[in-house]
Amino acid sequence: MLASGIWGITASSWRRVAKHGAGAVTTKSLWLKEHKGHSNPVIISTEHWTLNAVGVPDAGVEKAKEEIGEYNKDKPVPLIANIIAESAENYAKTAQAIVELKPDFLEVNISCPNIEDEFGRPFACSADDAAAVTKAVKAVSGDIPVFIKLSPNVENIGTIALACAKAGADGFTAINTVGPGMAIDLRSRRPILANRVGGLSGPAIKPIAVKCIADVYKATEGKLPIIGTGGVATGKDAMELMLAGASLIGIGTAVADRGADVFAKVCEEMSAWCDAEGVASCGELIGGMHRSFSS
Amino acid sequence: MGCCGHCSPAKRLPETHPIAHIVRETAHVQTFTFKVSLGAKPGQFVMVWLPGVDEVPMSVAEDDGKELKITFFAAGDMTEKLAQCKEGDLVGLRGPFGTHYTWEKKQKLALLAGGYGAAPMHFVAKEAAKDGCTVDVFVGARGKEHLLYLDALCALKRVALHVATDDGSQGFKGTNVAALVEELDGGARYDQLFACGPERMLVAVSQLSAQRKIPSQLSLERYMKCGYGLCGNCVVDPLGIRLCTDGPVVKNDLCMEITEFGKFHRDDVGKKHLF
Ligand SMILES: Cc1cc2nc3c(=O)[nH]c(=O)nc-3n(C[C@H](O)[C@H](O)[C@H](O)COP(=O)(O)OP(=O)(O)OC[C@H]3O[C@@H](n4cnc5c(N)ncnc54)[C@H](O)[C@@H]3O)c2cc1C
Ligand SMILES: Cc1cc2nc3c(=O)[nH]c(=O)nc-3n(C[C@H](O)[C@H](O)[C@H](O)COP(=O)(O)O)c2cc1C
Ligand code: FES
């Protein structure tokens, strides 16, 4: 599925991604009211990594209403509405407004590393804060499943996930971007990103994603679904995240290099590998790493 | 140079270069030359970064393998600060990004340039002439004080210049598209029309291209952030294509499927603005 923040601004963009084989699409993080992002440069990369400090710009619920409404008129694949706010109270308000637009899932972004100057440490950095947001959103989400998007930039992602699970989370997305990191231009000696620092994504972060997913899976005893996201570009990457415990796969940064077809290509590469290796269904890979110790 | 010396060029990471040379074209337009080549083709753009201020997309006005030029109009915050830069000041460049104009050898081309569009069109004319194309360039502006690149275009072989001003202060009185219509009505024939300029002008070219069944390629502008197809800020309705990778230069057949063309564009938070 398409990860949040990539291409996810308009209904026509979600449709295009669906047409190219994505099983679901995630919106860019939605705010209750219009929120300005950072000045450019906001996204820079090499073939190994991408640094972004877009600053979560969004036009607010009114625009979401228009775009999600348009998408729902003829919905090709499920829509995950990703929401963000500055307090548990506003997470609930945003969730309430978005639930009315009837998305298939809610994904709660409590882990954006590039708006710390504005809002302080993300809620995903403390088990209590993360649980409080989960509880606030669950109170208004009705029967729409709630996935909590976790941060890799903590020492205890397992404990945080467990706290969210106890507060009612229906699943997790792991991981958001790593760091933050910084890149400096040699001649001007200035950080390149206008925000100076930004979240790291792309191939370089895959090992961190694998470890975080494994921790979340273990802490929650594999009982809740995990959307594994972080550095996936190929079918093999996706299967590695599944072995760690992911039951769904999100792809972000890789769309720039492999294009919209990346979703179909990753699925084909997974089936081809499973066929060649005599694996009956990709599903049996989920959490396979954990079972490999007990057998 | 790649990120680690072993990979392909790190063109998605800006590198600053000193401005080697500045030419003031008009009261509001300047051309900066940098002693670097990014291997850009006519119609492609680069992201231009002024450290501490902003980074914006700009068409490549020339890339001859040794030097790269940009020609820009001081339109707002960043470009006004850029206009205050002096030779030697550092400006970051990354790219080139996007599609470019394409032609076949020996074709007859009509180029329509509005505003700073004259700069990339000069790049097209120069390269197409090398391929044996015959090129008519229609440069348009409100008045003669806004006309750009006339001398440079005149100096090119196989290139004929047509000037149009809204107020009639130089050349044809009216738009450059109206000047082209006159040529067509007078019997001129072209294999392709290329256009770069305000969207209003592009709409007129698109309609003319469809009516007269002359293929055309148009350069469309939308708000850009990454410039290479990741953020999705430049997607257009209803196709969902990204104009930084599937554009900025699009064929008219594709352009006519973009229903927002000539109607609205989106800003940095994705909100629609009518033209
Ligand atoms: C593919 C492409 C090629 C371009 N080529 C040239 C060129 O060769 N010469 C030239 O003078 N200008 C060019 N532009 C336009 C140039 O990017 C804007 O003039 C510039 O961004 C204005 O920034 P500002 O801060 O000075 O103005 P602002 O006050 O910020 O805004 C003025 C206008 O510029 C637009 N703008 C601001 N930031 C961006 C952005 N990141 N992406 C797109 N539009 C933006 C705004 O939407 C607004 O309409 C090009 C734009 C695109 C998309
Ligand atoms: C340009 C960009 C913008 C992003 N914006 C958001 C966002 O708005 N909300 C969010 O929850 N995650 C956002 N992310 C994080 C991604 O959804 C994803 O978790 C992360 O990039 C790791 O996956 P990847 O390596 O496949 O990109 C963004 C990532 C990138 C690169
Ligand atoms: S500018 Fe980011 S996708 Fe086009």
Side-chain angles (χ1 to χ4, degrees):
Chain A
M1 58 178 65
L2 179 70
S4 178
I6 287 96
W7 295 6
I9 300 174
T10 67
S12 61
S13 191
W14 300 326
R15 286 232 165 84
R16 185 169 167 81
V17 172
K19 205 167 102 188
H20 284 266
V25 293
T26 313
T27 68
K28 176 141 191 73
S29 287
L30 305 165
W31 293 87
L32 196 55
K33 300 215 170 76
E34 178 170 320
H35 182 261
K36 281 277 178 195
H38 299 306
S39 306
N40 286 347
V42 290
I43 305 174
I44 51 176
S45 67
T46 71
E47 39 283 275
H48 306 299
W49 50 261
T50 292
L51 265 187
N52 96 78
V54 182
V56 210
D58 178 53
V61 164
E62 280 311 306
K63 170 176 166 279
K65 205 179 258 177
E66 187 181 339
E67 299 295 338
I68 295 179
E70 172 63 30
Y71 183 78
N72 280 348
K73 277 187 202 159
D74 179 16
K75 179 165 60 179
V77 298
L79 180 88
I80 302 167
N82 178 305
I83 59 166
I84 187 165
E86 58 281 69
S87 64
E89 194 190 342
N90 276 353
Y91 269 106
K93 279 192 188 152
T94 314
Q96 204 160 18
I98 297 295
V99 161
E100 282 174 23
L101 311 180
K102 303 199 178 0
D104 298 280
F105 298 88
L106 274 181
E107 181 176 83
V108 188
N109 179 4
I110 54 169
S111 45
C112 180
N114 62 45
I115 47 174
E116 279 188 38
D117 282 355
E118 215 174 332
F119 302 117
R121 292 289 282 163
F123 296 92
C125 293
S126 131
D128 289 347
D129 291 349
V133 172
T134 307
K135 210 167 156 189
V137 172
K138 277 299 286 181
V140 297
S141 58
D143 47 13
I144 297 180
V146 174
F147 279 61
I148 305 296
K149 187 157 181 182
L150 299 170
S151 169
N153 313 317
V154 295
E155 283 167 10
N156 52 346
I157 192 169
T159 315
I160 293 166
L162 190 60
C164 294
K166 285 185 179 149
D170 299 297
F172 299 99
T173 304
I175 53 177
N176 209 317
T177 50
V178 174
M182 185 188 274
I184 300 172
D185 172 61
L186 293 186
R187 287 201 187 95
S188 65
R189 305 182 179 189
R190 292 255 199 159
I192 298 171
L193 293 173
N195 187 49
R196 301 188 304 281
V197 301
L200 198 62
S201 64
I205 73 164
K206 189 185 67 175
I208 297 176
V210 170
K211 155 80 164 61
C212 288
I213 294 164
D215 285 355
V216 172
Y217 186 89
K218 196 167 167 207
T220 55
E221 295 168 3
K223 285 184 184 146
L224 296 177
I226 302 171
I227 304 174
T229 306
V232 174
T234 66
K236 281 188 176 171
D237 296 333
M239 291 185 293
E240 193 179 345
L241 267 57
M242 289 172 75
L243 287 173
S247 40
L248 297 150
I249 296 292
I251 299 179
T253 303
V255 300
D257 281 318
R258 295 195 85 190
D261 289 337
V262 66
F263 304 98
K265 285 181 194 157
V266 164
C267 292
E268 280 160 25
E269 287 157 7
M270 287 167 69
S271 327
W273 189 90
C274 288
D275 287 350
E277 298 286 326
V279 174
S281 137
C282 289
E284 76 180 61
L285 298 174
I286 300 167
M289 184 271 283
H290 304 271
R291 291 190 296 276
S292 76
F293 293 108
S294 50
S295 59
Chain B
M1 192 186 62
C3 61
C4 58
H6 301 287
C7 313
S8 56
K11 60 181 184 181
R12 294 170 180 173
L13 197 60
E15 195 182 338
T16 54
H17 301 275
I19 304 168
H21 188 53
I22 296 180
V23 174
R24 181 169 281 284
E25 310 276 356
T26 69
H28 304 288
V29 178
Q30 300 184 47
T31 298
F32 287 0
T33 302
F34 301 94
K35 294 218 172 302
V36 60
S37 167
L38 294 173
K41 300 203 173 95
Q44 287 191 297
F45 69 96
V46 286
M47 292 300 290
V48 178
W49 170 45
L50 192 54
V53 183
D54 200 352
E55 183 190 44
V56 304
M58 283 189 185
S59 305
V60 175
E62 172 109 56
D63 186 342
D64 63 3
K66 293 191 207 83
E67 291 183 341
L68 184 139
K69 290 184 185 173
I70 52 166
T71 295
F72 67 94
F73 181 82
D77 288 354
M78 187 281 191
T79 44
E80 269 162 23
K81 292 214 174 73
L82 196 64
Q84 287 160 19
C85 287
K86 297 182 193 62
E87 288 175 1
D89 286 352
L90 292 172
V91 173
L93 299 172
R94 62 186 176 98
F97 298 125
T99 53
H100 53 86
Y101 293 97
T102 53
W103 56 83
E104 283 164 31
K105 283 195 167 39
K106 300 212 162 94
Q107 279 194 324
K108 183 130 180 33
L109 307 172
L111 273 46
L112 293 115
Y116 55 78
M121 280 308 173
H122 170 261
F123 189 17
V124 175
K126 194 171 165 185
E127 296 302 315
K130 283 188 201 160
D131 280 335
C133 293
T134 316
V135 186
D136 282 2
V137 189
F138 297 80
V139 180
R142 272 172 290 145
K144 71 175 183 186
E145 66 281 13
H146 298 294
L147 288 163
L148 290 178
Y149 272 74
L150 301 190
D151 294 344
L153 285 162
C154 277
L156 295 174
K157 291 206 182 81
R158 315 183 72 89
V159 174
L161 177 65
H162 304 254
V163 174
T165 50
D166 294 347
D167 63 5
S169 52
Q170 189 168 336
F172 179 86
K173 183 173 190 310
T175 65
N176 55 352
V177 183
L180 167 66
V181 169
E182 267 210 352
E183 289 295 313
L184 288 170
D185 290 343
R189 290 291 167 266
Y190 299 101
D191 296 309
Q192 294 197 74
L193 313 177
F194 294 170
C196 183
E199 196 136 322
R200 189 167 20 85
M201 177 196 115
L202 301 180
V203 170
V205 176
S206 169
Q207 286 166 352
L208 182 71
S209 159
Q211 279 161 11
R212 308 268 176 138
K213 300 197 168 45
I214 312 170
S216 63
Q217 297 176 34
L218 317 167
S219 177
L220 305 192
E221 290 180 8
R222 286 297 181 270
Y223 199 98
M224 293 189 182
K225 290 182 179 172
C226 67
Y228 63 87
L230 183 59
C231 69
N233 212 92
C234 64
V235 295
V236 286
D237 286 345
L239 304 178
I241 56 171
R242 292 150 296 157
L243 281 185
C244 65
T245 52
D246 295 313
V249 180
V250 293
K251 297 209 162 104
N252 194 38
D253 299 343
L254 184 64
C255 189
M256 289 196 306
E257 289 179 45
I258 302 173
T259 48
E260 71 169 64
F261 174 58
K263 299 201 174 65
F264 66 85
H265 61 106
R266 289 175 193 270
D267 63 14
D268 54 332
V269 296
K271 210 165 45 187
K272 292 179 187 172
H273 294 266
L274 298 178
F275 276 109

Short mmCIF file of all heavy atoms in Angstrom, two decimals, chain A residues 199-245:
data_model
loop_
_atom_site.label_atom_id
_atom_site.label_comp_id
_atom_site.label_asym_id
_atom_site.label_seq_id
_atom_site.Cartn_x
_atom_site.Cartn_y
_atom_site.Cartn_z
N GLY A 199 13.47 13.84 8.58
CA GLY A 199 13.35 12.41 8.81
C GLY A 199 13.97 11.63 7.66
O GLY A 199 13.84 11.99 6.49
N LEU A 200 14.64 10.55 8.03
CA LEU A 200 15.34 9.72 7.06
C LEU A 200 14.44 8.57 6.61
O LEU A 200 13.78 7.93 7.43
CB LEU A 200 16.57 9.17 7.78
CG LEU A 200 17.74 8.62 7.00
CD1 LEU A 200 18.36 9.70 6.13
CD2 LEU A 200 18.78 8.07 7.97
N SER A 201 14.42 8.33 5.30
CA SER A 201 13.65 7.21 4.76
C SER A 201 14.44 6.57 3.63
O SER A 201 15.55 7.00 3.33
CB SER A 201 12.29 7.70 4.25
OG SER A 201 12.47 8.59 3.17
N GLY A 202 13.86 5.54 3.02
CA GLY A 202 14.53 4.91 1.89
C GLY A 202 15.35 3.69 2.29
O GLY A 202 15.34 3.28 3.46
N PRO A 203 16.10 3.11 1.32
CA PRO A 203 16.80 1.85 1.53
C PRO A 203 17.61 1.79 2.83
O PRO A 203 17.63 0.75 3.49
CB PRO A 203 17.73 1.76 0.32
CG PRO A 203 17.07 2.56 -0.73
CD PRO A 203 16.29 3.64 -0.04
N ALA A 204 18.24 2.90 3.21
CA ALA A 204 19.13 2.87 4.38
C ALA A 204 18.41 2.52 5.68
O ALA A 204 19.03 2.02 6.61
CB ALA A 204 19.84 4.22 4.54
N ILE A 205 17.10 2.78 5.77
CA ILE A 205 16.42 2.57 7.06
C ILE A 205 15.79 1.19 7.21
O ILE A 205 15.23 0.87 8.26
CB ILE A 205 15.36 3.66 7.35
CG1 ILE A 205 14.10 3.50 6.48
CG2 ILE A 205 15.94 5.06 7.21
CD1 ILE A 205 12.90 4.28 7.00
N LYS A 206 15.89 0.36 6.17
CA LYS A 206 15.20 -0.94 6.25
C LYS A 206 15.60 -1.76 7.48
O LYS A 206 14.72 -2.31 8.17
CB LYS A 206 15.39 -1.74 4.96
CG LYS A 206 14.51 -2.98 4.91
CD LYS A 206 14.77 -3.85 3.70
CE LYS A 206 16.14 -4.46 3.76
NZ LYS A 206 16.40 -5.40 2.66
N PRO A 207 16.90 -1.86 7.79
CA PRO A 207 17.25 -2.67 8.97
C PRO A 207 16.60 -2.16 10.25
O PRO A 207 16.28 -2.95 11.15
CB PRO A 207 18.78 -2.55 9.03
CG PRO A 207 19.21 -2.17 7.65
CD PRO A 207 18.08 -1.34 7.10
N ILE A 208 16.42 -0.85 10.34
CA ILE A 208 15.79 -0.29 11.54
C ILE A 208 14.30 -0.65 11.54
O ILE A 208 13.74 -1.01 12.58
CB ILE A 208 15.99 1.25 11.58
CG1 ILE A 208 17.49 1.55 11.68
CG2 ILE A 208 15.22 1.87 12.74
CD1 ILE A 208 17.85 3.02 11.64
N ALA A 209 13.68 -0.59 10.36
CA ALA A 209 12.27 -0.97 10.26
C ALA A 209 12.09 -2.43 10.68
O ALA A 209 11.18 -2.77 11.45
CB ALA A 209 11.76 -0.75 8.84
N VAL A 210 12.97 -3.29 10.18
CA VAL A 210 12.86 -4.72 10.49
C VAL A 210 12.94 -4.94 12.00
O VAL A 210 12.11 -5.65 12.59
CB VAL A 210 13.98 -5.52 9.76
CG1 VAL A 210 14.03 -6.96 10.26
CG2 VAL A 210 13.75 -5.49 8.25
N LYS A 211 13.89 -4.29 12.63
CA LYS A 211 14.08 -4.46 14.08
C LYS A 211 12.85 -3.93 14.85
O LYS A 211 12.36 -4.57 15.78
CB LYS A 211 15.36 -3.72 14.49
CG LYS A 211 15.47 -3.27 15.93
CD LYS A 211 15.88 -4.41 16.85
CE LYS A 211 16.38 -3.95 18.22
NZ LYS A 211 15.43 -3.22 19.02
N CYS A 212 12.36 -2.76 14.45
CA CYS A 212 11.21 -2.17 15.15
C CYS A 212 9.98 -3.05 15.01
O CYS A 212 9.23 -3.27 15.97
CB CYS A 212 10.91 -0.78 14.62
SG CYS A 212 12.13 0.44 15.10
N ILE A 213 9.74 -3.56 13.79
CA ILE A 213 8.57 -4.41 13.56
C ILE A 213 8.68 -5.67 14.43
O ILE A 213 7.71 -6.11 15.05
CB ILE A 213 8.45 -4.77 12.06
CG1 ILE A 213 8.15 -3.51 11.25
CG2 ILE A 213 7.39 -5.85 11.82
CD1 ILE A 213 8.39 -3.65 9.76
N ALA A 214 9.89 -6.24 14.47
CA ALA A 214 10.09 -7.44 15.28
C ALA A 214 9.77 -7.15 16.75
O ALA A 214 9.12 -7.96 17.43
CB ALA A 214 11.53 -7.95 15.13
N ASP A 215 10.19 -5.98 17.24
CA ASP A 215 9.94 -5.62 18.64
C ASP A 215 8.44 -5.45 18.91
O ASP A 215 7.92 -5.89 19.94
CB ASP A 215 10.64 -4.29 18.99
CG ASP A 215 12.15 -4.48 19.15
OD1 ASP A 215 12.62 -5.63 19.10
OD2 ASP A 215 12.85 -3.45 19.31
N VAL A 216 7.75 -4.79 17.98
CA VAL A 216 6.31 -4.54 18.17
C VAL A 216 5.55 -5.88 18.14
O VAL A 216 4.67 -6.14 18.96
CB VAL A 216 5.77 -3.59 17.07
CG1 VAL A 216 4.25 -3.48 17.14
CG2 VAL A 216 6.42 -2.21 17.20
N TYR A 217 5.94 -6.73 17.18
CA TYR A 217 5.28 -8.03 17.04
C TYR A 217 5.43 -8.85 18.32
O TYR A 217 4.48 -9.44 18.83
CB TYR A 217 5.90 -8.76 15.85
CG TYR A 217 5.21 -10.07 15.49
CD1 TYR A 217 4.15 -10.09 14.58
CD2 TYR A 217 5.66 -11.29 16.02
CE1 TYR A 217 3.53 -11.29 14.22
CE2 TYR A 217 5.05 -12.49 15.66
CZ TYR A 217 3.99 -12.48 14.76
OH TYR A 217 3.39 -13.66 14.40
N LYS A 218 6.67 -8.83 18.83
CA LYS A 218 6.96 -9.61 20.03
C LYS A 218 6.19 -9.06 21.23
O LYS A 218 5.54 -9.81 21.98
CB LYS A 218 8.47 -9.56 20.32
CG LYS A 218 8.93 -10.61 21.28
CD LYS A 218 10.43 -10.73 21.27
CE LYS A 218 10.84 -11.57 22.47
NZ LYS A 218 12.18 -11.22 22.92
N ALA A 219 6.21 -7.74 21.39
CA ALA A 219 5.56 -7.12 22.55
C ALA A 219 4.05 -7.36 22.54
O ALA A 219 3.43 -7.49 23.59
CB ALA A 219 5.86 -5.62 22.58
N THR A 220 3.47 -7.41 21.35
CA THR A 220 2.01 -7.57 21.26
C THR A 220 1.64 -9.01 20.89
O THR A 220 0.51 -9.28 20.49
CB THR A 220 1.41 -6.59 20.24
OG1 THR A 220 2.09 -6.77 18.98
CG2 THR A 220 1.61 -5.13 20.67
N GLU A 221 2.61 -9.89 21.01
CA GLU A 221 2.44 -11.33 20.76
C GLU A 221 1.80 -11.65 19.42
O GLU A 221 1.02 -12.60 19.28
CB GLU A 221 1.61 -11.96 21.89
CG GLU A 221 2.35 -11.88 23.22
CD GLU A 221 1.46 -12.22 24.40
OE1 GLU A 221 0.29 -12.56 24.18
OE2 GLU A 221 1.95 -12.12 25.54
N GLY A 222 2.09 -10.81 18.44
CA GLY A 222 1.60 -11.05 17.09
C GLY A 222 0.09 -10.99 16.97
O GLY A 222 -0.49 -11.50 16.01
N LYS A 223 -0.56 -10.37 17.96
CA LYS A 223 -2.03 -10.39 17.95
C LYS A 223 -2.65 -9.29 17.09
O LYS A 223 -3.82 -9.38 16.72
CB LYS A 223 -2.55 -10.24 19.39
CG LYS A 223 -2.36 -11.53 20.19
CD LYS A 223 -2.96 -11.39 21.56
CE LYS A 223 -2.67 -12.65 22.38
NZ LYS A 223 -2.47 -12.33 23.79
N LEU A 224 -1.87 -8.23 16.85
CA LEU A 224 -2.44 -7.11 16.09
C LEU A 224 -1.69 -6.94 14.77
O LEU A 224 -0.49 -7.16 14.70
CB LEU A 224 -2.34 -5.81 16.90
CG LEU A 224 -3.15 -5.77 18.20
CD1 LEU A 224 -2.88 -4.46 18.94
CD2 LEU A 224 -4.63 -5.92 17.92
N PRO A 225 -2.42 -6.56 13.70
CA PRO A 225 -1.76 -6.39 12.40
C PRO A 225 -0.77 -5.22 12.42
O PRO A 225 -1.00 -4.22 13.10
CB PRO A 225 -2.91 -6.11 11.44
CG PRO A 225 -4.06 -5.67 12.30
CD PRO A 225 -3.86 -6.29 13.65
N ILE A 226 0.31 -5.39 11.68
CA ILE A 226 1.33 -4.34 11.56
C ILE A 226 1.51 -4.01 10.08
O ILE A 226 1.76 -4.91 9.27
CB ILE A 226 2.69 -4.79 12.14
CG1 ILE A 226 2.56 -5.19 13.60
CG2 ILE A 226 3.75 -3.69 11.96
CD1 ILE A 226 3.81 -5.87 14.18
N ILE A 227 1.37 -2.72 9.76
CA ILE A 227 1.70 -2.26 8.40
C ILE A 227 3.20 -1.95 8.43
O ILE A 227 3.63 -0.97 9.02
CB ILE A 227 0.91 -0.99 8.01
CG1 ILE A 227 -0.60 -1.20 8.14
CG2 ILE A 227 1.28 -0.58 6.57
CD1 ILE A 227 -1.44 0.06 7.90
N GLY A 228 3.98 -2.84 7.84
CA GLY A 228 5.44 -2.67 7.83
C GLY A 228 5.82 -1.65 6.76
O GLY A 228 5.47 -1.81 5.59
N THR A 229 6.50 -0.60 7.18
CA THR A 229 6.89 0.48 6.26
C THR A 229 8.30 0.92 6.61
O THR A 229 8.62 1.10 7.78
CB THR A 229 5.94 1.68 6.44
OG1 THR A 229 4.60 1.23 6.27
CG2 THR A 229 6.22 2.77 5.41
N GLY A 230 9.12 1.12 5.60
CA GLY A 230 10.47 1.61 5.86
C GLY A 230 11.48 0.93 4.94
O GLY A 230 11.86 -0.22 5.17
N GLY A 231 11.86 1.63 3.88
CA GLY A 231 12.92 1.14 3.01
C GLY A 231 12.54 0.02 2.07
O GLY A 231 13.42 -0.63 1.50
N VAL A 232 11.25 -0.23 1.88
CA VAL A 232 10.88 -1.32 0.97
C VAL A 232 10.91 -0.84 -0.48
O VAL A 232 10.29 0.16 -0.83
CB VAL A 232 9.46 -1.85 1.28
CG1 VAL A 232 9.04 -2.88 0.23
CG2 VAL A 232 9.42 -2.46 2.66
N ALA A 233 11.69 -1.54 -1.30
CA ALA A 233 11.73 -1.23 -2.73
C ALA A 233 11.48 -2.47 -3.57
O ALA A 233 11.08 -2.38 -4.72
CB ALA A 233 13.08 -0.62 -3.09
N THR A 234 11.72 -3.65 -2.99
CA THR A 234 11.60 -4.89 -3.77
C THR A 234 10.77 -5.92 -3.00
O THR A 234 10.51 -5.76 -1.80
CB THR A 234 12.99 -5.52 -4.01
OG1 THR A 234 13.51 -5.94 -2.73
CG2 THR A 234 13.97 -4.55 -4.64
N GLY A 235 10.41 -6.98 -3.70
CA GLY A 235 9.67 -8.07 -3.08
C GLY A 235 10.44 -8.67 -1.91
O GLY A 235 9.87 -9.02 -0.87
N LYS A 236 11.75 -8.79 -2.06
CA LYS A 236 12.57 -9.37 -0.98
C LYS A 236 12.53 -8.49 0.26
O LYS A 236 12.46 -8.98 1.39
CB LYS A 236 14.01 -9.56 -1.44
CG LYS A 236 14.19 -10.80 -2.29
CD LYS A 236 15.65 -11.05 -2.55
CE LYS A 236 15.80 -12.35 -3.32
NZ LYS A 236 17.17 -12.55 -3.80
N ASP A 237 12.58 -7.16 0.05
CA ASP A 237 12.48 -6.24 1.20
C ASP A 237 11.16 -6.47 1.92
O ASP A 237 11.11 -6.55 3.16
CB ASP A 237 12.51 -4.77 0.73
CG ASP A 237 13.80 -4.38 0.05
OD1 ASP A 237 14.84 -4.98 0.35
OD2 ASP A 237 13.76 -3.44 -0.79
N ALA A 238 10.08 -6.56 1.14
CA ALA A 238 8.74 -6.71 1.73
C ALA A 238 8.68 -8.00 2.54
O ALA A 238 8.16 -8.02 3.67
CB ALA A 238 7.69 -6.72 0.62
N MET A 239 9.24 -9.09 2.00
CA MET A 239 9.17 -10.38 2.71
C MET A 239 9.99 -10.37 3.99
O MET A 239 9.63 -11.01 4.97
CB MET A 239 9.60 -11.50 1.77
CG MET A 239 8.57 -11.72 0.66
SD MET A 239 8.94 -13.12 -0.40
CE MET A 239 10.40 -12.58 -1.22
N GLU A 240 11.08 -9.59 3.98
CA GLU A 240 11.90 -9.49 5.19
C GLU A 240 11.08 -8.81 6.31
O GLU A 240 11.09 -9.26 7.47
CB GLU A 240 13.18 -8.70 4.88
CG GLU A 240 14.22 -8.81 5.97
CD GLU A 240 15.49 -8.04 5.63
OE1 GLU A 240 15.71 -7.66 4.46
OE2 GLU A 240 16.28 -7.81 6.58
N LEU A 241 10.35 -7.76 5.93
CA LEU A 241 9.52 -7.08 6.93
C LEU A 241 8.40 -8.01 7.42
O LEU A 241 8.01 -7.98 8.59
CB LEU A 241 8.90 -5.80 6.34
CG LEU A 241 9.68 -4.48 6.58
CD1 LEU A 241 11.10 -4.56 6.04
CD2 LEU A 241 8.96 -3.28 5.98
N MET A 242 7.91 -8.87 6.51
CA MET A 242 6.86 -9.81 6.91
C MET A 242 7.40 -10.83 7.90
O MET A 242 6.74 -11.17 8.89
CB MET A 242 6.26 -10.49 5.68
CG MET A 242 5.42 -9.53 4.86
SD MET A 242 4.88 -10.22 3.30
CE MET A 242 3.59 -11.32 3.86
N LEU A 243 8.61 -11.31 7.65
CA LEU A 243 9.19 -12.27 8.58
C LEU A 243 9.33 -11.65 9.97
O LEU A 243 9.19 -12.33 10.99
CB LEU A 243 10.56 -12.75 8.07
CG LEU A 243 10.51 -13.70 6.88
CD1 LEU A 243 11.92 -13.97 6.34
CD2 LEU A 243 9.82 -15.03 7.23
N ALA A 244 9.59 -10.34 10.01
CA ALA A 244 9.71 -9.66 11.31
C ALA A 244 8.35 -9.50 11.98
O ALA A 244 8.27 -9.29 13.19
CB ALA A 244 10.35 -8.29 11.11
N GLY A 245 7.27 -9.58 11.19
CA GLY A 245 5.94 -9.49 11.80
C GLY A 245 4.93 -8.63 11.06
O GLY A 245 3.78 -8.48 11.50
#
